[in-house]
Amino acid sequence: MSETIDYYEKNARSFAESTADVDFSGMQERFLSELKDGASILDFGCGSGRDTCCFLKKGYRVTAMDGSAELCSIAGEKAGIPVIQMDFNDFDERDAYDGIWACSSILHLPKQELKNVLVHMERALHKGGIIYTSFKYGDFSGMRNGRFFTDFTEDSFRAFVSDIGQLEMEQLWITADVRPGRENEKWLNMILRTKRR
């Protein structure tokens, strides 16, 4: 993860500029439709702060965090709230959120770390809470363009989460990349729900 964090520290401004104005409204609405008005949301790996701003404007209670100090600064300035800088592996909260939005963030973790982080994310949810997350579509795992990635297909992700007993797959769908010029890149999106109802 350290090499990936270094990448974002060095490229925070250009990364934020390339993602801040991307229209992600369809995905945001799909996530929010599963939550009550004013629900508590954790933006887990908030990047540029794009989604934090969206959720705040719609009246949700939002906590934002990222592993990169530079991105925390950019997102905090954009959203007007403090953003927590934290290594994803250090996250450890209980019964704190209705929803966790982890858009293109936990895909930077190796599988063993990812499984542990998903367990901690589930524990941080209220009963019946949800997680939205996304991964590049495929079977690659390793360094790519200066960052670590873990990719998944539908079958490989189902197998991966099958032994995380408190999480169940609620929705799973594939989309094209929404950034201009990258429409051929595929993403695996999912909504997971804690079984603690």
Side-chain angles (χ1 to χ4, degrees):
M1 188 76 178
S2 61
E3 290 171 296
T4 301
I5 294 297
D6 288 345
Y7 172 92
Y8 284 114
E9 296 290 37
K10 292 172 184 173
N11 298 281
R13 190 65 59 181
S14 60
F15 173 79
E17 289 172 358
S18 71
T19 57
D21 297 322
V22 169
D23 181 6
F24 221 65
S25 55
M27 216 68 73
Q28 292 160 346
E29 289 303 324
R30 192 160 181 166
F31 171 71
L32 295 176
S33 70
E34 299 290 328
L35 298 171
K36 294 177 181 177
D37 290 346
S40 57
I41 296 172
L42 172 63
D43 191 349
F44 195 99
C46 64
S48 67
R50 176 196 66 206
D51 304 317
T52 292
C53 288
C54 166
F55 301 149
L56 285 169
K57 285 175 184 174
K58 290 179 180 292
Y60 293 89
R61 292 173 288 127
V62 185
T63 301
M65 62 168 279
D66 201 276
S68 160
E70 286 294 320
L71 284 174
C72 287
S73 176
I74 291 168
E77 187 177 313
K78 183 180 178 72
I81 62 170
V83 176
I84 301 162
Q85 193 270 319
M86 182 187 293
D87 186 304
F88 293 170
N89 290 288
D90 294 332
F91 178 69
D92 187 19
E93 293 190 60
R94 298 292 176 104
D95 196 24
Y97 306 102
D98 299 303
I100 298 177
W101 174 266
C103 178
S104 311
S105 58
I106 58 175
L107 48 63
H108 291 310
L109 297 169
K111 286 185 177 178
Q112 195 51 49
E113 291 181 19
L114 174 60
K115 189 161 286 189
N116 185 58
V117 168
L118 280 168
V119 167
H120 282 85
M121 289 168 78
E122 188 279 329
R123 289 176 184 165
L125 291 170
H126 297 315
K127 289 182 179 180
I130 61 166
I131 298 167
Y132 163 79
T133 190
S134 55
F135 298 86
K136 286 182 178 286
Y137 190 87
D139 55 14
F140 176 81
S141 181
M143 296 299 295
R144 179 197 285 134
N145 300 325
R147 293 168 289 174
F148 188 92
F149 285 89
T150 295
D151 300 350
F152 283 105
T153 63
E154 303 98 311
D155 290 343
S156 65
F157 191 80
R158 282 195 179 98
F160 180 74
V161 296
S162 62
D163 60 347
I164 303 178
Q166 291 298 325
L167 279 177
E168 62 185 359
M169 183 80 67
E170 189 147 296
Q171 300 179 37
L172 187 70
W173 70 101
I174 298 168
T175 54
D177 200 302
V178 294
R179 290 168 292 182
R182 301 179 69 165
E183 296 83 2
N184 290 331
E185 293 184 31
K186 297 287 187 261
W187 287 81
L188 185 68
N189 306 270
M190 63 212 67
I191 289 178
L192 307 166
R193 191 179 295 274
T194 177
K195 292 180 182 176
R196 291 178 290 112
R197 297 187 182 275

